[in-house]
Amino acid sequence: MRVETKLAQIGVGRERTTGAISFPIYASTAYQHPGLGESTGFDYTRTANPTRSVLEQAIADLEGGAAGFACSSGMAAIQTIMGLFSQGDHLIVSLDLYGGTYRLFQQVLSRYGLSFSYVDFRQPEQLVEAIRTHPNTRAVLIETPTNPLMQVTDIRTTAKIARQHGLLTVVDNTFLTPYYQRPLTLGADIVFHSATKYLGGHNDVLAGLIVAKDEGIAEKIRFLHNSIGAVLSPLDSWLLIRGMKTLAVRMERHQANAAQIARFLLERDDVQDVFYPGLEQHDGHSILCEQASGFSGMVSFRLRSADQVPRFLRALRLISFAESLGGVESLCTYPATQTHADIPQEIREAVGVCDRLLRLSAGIEHIEDLLDDLAQALDAAKNE
Ligand SMILES: *Cc1c(COP(=O)(O)O)cnc(C)c1O
């Protein structure tokens, strides 16, 4: 079955007693046991819940893995995965990274004796150089494309190097979703999502998803998911299933809008750099074309001068100045003070997340309305 069909059909045919098309929200936290040592498959909702199971099986199938796990947020998903590692372990991570992931690693997990090296995976030799035997490197964790600079990592090459050194490859697939990119089919061991973004798609549910490639890792994550307990509620599981049914059509529209916005921004002399992997001149364009089937709806760009930023953001009328991405409504984010505020300024700027950088999540509105809004806000930023 093709991905569009799988998405639209999530949960259909699963509620046999009533034939409900929309799989119900099972609110019950407890389940009757037929007898001692017997179970319906559901005992206590932290361990397994029928609504959540439909979602978990759907994402496992979409990503091509053995099992899926739904968590209460993207960060909860990362925290659950990090439970695989122990004091003294070392991980190699994308240098350009979602700020919340960096904060969890540097301000929380480093206190538990885990250590992290941040490398630019566009240069695979940086990965090889960062591998240590003491403390022991255990895994590589990559975002591709990265948030917010849209840097593309070659997943196959990275996973191959990782495997040669006995390391796990973990991929944050939030930006492309399994509709465009399936890292497990390229050699990764674990994939995760902030499902708050494209998978949910409506800026109304906070969720995270994990998929493990093989049953061995799935078993360990199943234990951690239940032990840590940062699981997704039945209502939120239902909302996420509802959102995912339209993922394919939404992604096509997000992408079409983003591509036009990127081309529009390139033409503006008040815009300096445009980061969109769908542009042929983007340094990751050809790798992305080999490993994914689309570019998604995220565009970052730099204005010529930092004092245009507050004027531009205030002048936007249709596009909201807000954190987050991947919803039907277009949002514009200022990474320096929002998503990436917890990354020290010198590191942030060295990576390229400077105070002139803006990140746009193209929604599914009419493209002319989006371009009109951007044009008038850029003009207002220039003229004031
Ligand atoms: C938002 C985001 C996260 C964190 O997910 P939450 O659902 O906000 O907890 C992780 N990675 C990326 C790439 C994100 O955009």
Side-chain angles (χ1 to χ4, degrees):
M1 220 186 275
R2 288 157 187 84
V3 61
E4 293 85 345
T5 313
K6 287 181 180 176
L7 286 163
Q9 293 284 327
I10 298 174
V12 178
R14 298 291 298 271
E15 219 319 284
R16 301 208 193 279
T17 46
T18 64
I21 296 293
S22 167
F23 192 85
I25 303 165
Y26 280 83
S28 187
T29 53
Y31 297 82
Q32 289 180 329
H33 300 297
L36 192 63
E38 294 174 38
S39 168
T40 60
F42 297 97
D43 308 314
Y44 183 60
T45 214
R46 171 158 38 71
T47 318
N49 170 277
T51 314
R52 203 176 78 219
S53 292
V54 165
L55 169 66
E56 291 173 335
Q57 284 163 23
I59 192 67
D61 184 32
L62 289 161
E63 289 283 10
F69 304 91
C71 302
S72 52
S73 68
M75 293 317 303
I78 302 173
Q79 173 70 19
T80 302
I81 294 166
M82 295 308 289
L84 292 169
F85 306 108
S86 304
Q87 191 177 21
D89 287 350
H90 170 249
L91 285 90
I92 302 169
V93 183
S94 297
L95 179 61
D96 183 34
L97 189 70
Y98 174 67
T101 309
Y102 180 86
R103 179 176 57 200
L104 177 71
F105 291 173
Q106 292 309 112
Q107 297 187 31
V108 182
L109 295 175
S110 63
R111 293 193 284 105
Y112 292 77
L114 295 182
S115 61
F116 303 89
S117 295
Y118 299 89
V119 310
D120 186 341
F121 281 86
R122 290 175 300 176
Q123 285 141 12
E125 61 279 9
Q126 284 201 14
L127 163 59
V128 177
E129 279 162 26
I131 296 171
R132 303 182 199 161
T133 47
H134 194 78
N136 249 335
T137 305
R138 298 285 180 205
V140 299
L141 186 145
I142 56 175
E143 270 177 29
T144 182
T146 58
N147 180 1
L149 289 171
M150 315 297 161
Q151 294 168 356
V152 175
T153 296
D154 183 332
I155 299 174
R156 270 195 204 93
T157 304
T158 304
K160 197 169 151 209
I161 297 171
R163 186 146 311 205
Q164 282 162 356
H165 290 85
L167 318 179
L168 289 177
T169 301
V170 184
V171 180
D172 183 336
N173 201 25
T174 300
F175 270 31
L176 289 183
T177 82
Y179 181 64
Y180 283 139
Q181 176 172 275
R182 284 181 280 283
L184 300 182
T185 66
L186 302 166
D189 301 291
I190 300 171
V191 58
F192 69 91
H193 293 271
S194 169
T196 314
K197 316 293 170 52
Y198 284 111
L199 292 171
H202 295 74
N203 289 317
D204 60 4
V205 56
L206 185 75
L209 293 171
I210 306 169
V211 181
K213 171 82 184 160
D214 64 48
E215 189 47 46
I217 297 170
E219 197 48 51
K220 290 181 188 158
I221 295 179
R222 190 171 294 117
F223 170 80
L224 292 163
H225 190 232
N226 184 45
S227 300
I228 294 169
V231 301
L232 195 64
S233 76
L235 174 62
D236 287 341
S237 297
W238 183 85
L239 275 169
L240 189 50
I241 291 170
R242 183 185 158 116
M244 284 167 65
K245 285 174 177 266
T246 56
L247 181 70
V249 285
R250 285 189 286 106
M251 289 310 277
E252 295 290 345
R253 181 60 166 260
H254 287 302
Q255 167 159 304
N257 282 351
Q260 290 215 49
I261 288 169
R263 282 194 292 273
F264 162 86
L265 292 171
L266 277 178
E267 299 289 309
R268 296 279 311 197
D269 57 11
D270 43 2
V271 172
Q272 198 178 33
D273 305 297
V274 180
F275 304 94
Y276 182 63
L279 295 171
E280 267 166 40
Q281 59 265 49
H282 185 278
D283 68 353
H285 179 77
S286 59
I287 296 171
L288 198 141
C289 288
E290 278 169 33
Q291 66 186 20
S293 56
F295 313 103
S296 188
M298 299 301 299
V299 185
S300 293
F301 58 99
R302 291 198 184 105
L303 294 179
R304 283 230 175 259
S305 94
D307 42 84
Q308 287 174 297
V309 171
R311 297 202 294 262
F312 171 78
L313 290 171
R314 209 172 311 116
L316 287 172
R317 291 183 197 139
L318 171 66
I319 300 167
S320 295
F321 169 37
E323 262 151 289
S324 203
L325 62 103
V328 293
E329 303 91 351
S330 292
L331 305 182
C332 187
T333 301
Y334 186 47
T337 64
Q338 294 184 310
T339 50
H340 291 65
D342 282 302
I343 300 179
Q345 190 179 352
E346 62 286 2
I347 296 178
R348 195 166 42 73
E349 299 209 337
V351 173
V353 185
C354 69
D355 58 3
R356 294 180 292 116
L357 185 79
L358 290 159
R359 190 192 74 190
L360 192 83
S361 171
I364 64 165
E365 300 92 342
H366 196 288
I367 185 61
E368 294 305 331
D369 291 327
L370 294 175
L371 296 180
D372 286 349
D373 195 37
L374 287 169
Q376 67 79 24
L378 286 169
D379 289 343
K382 204 159 47 176
N383 297 337
E384 210 171 286

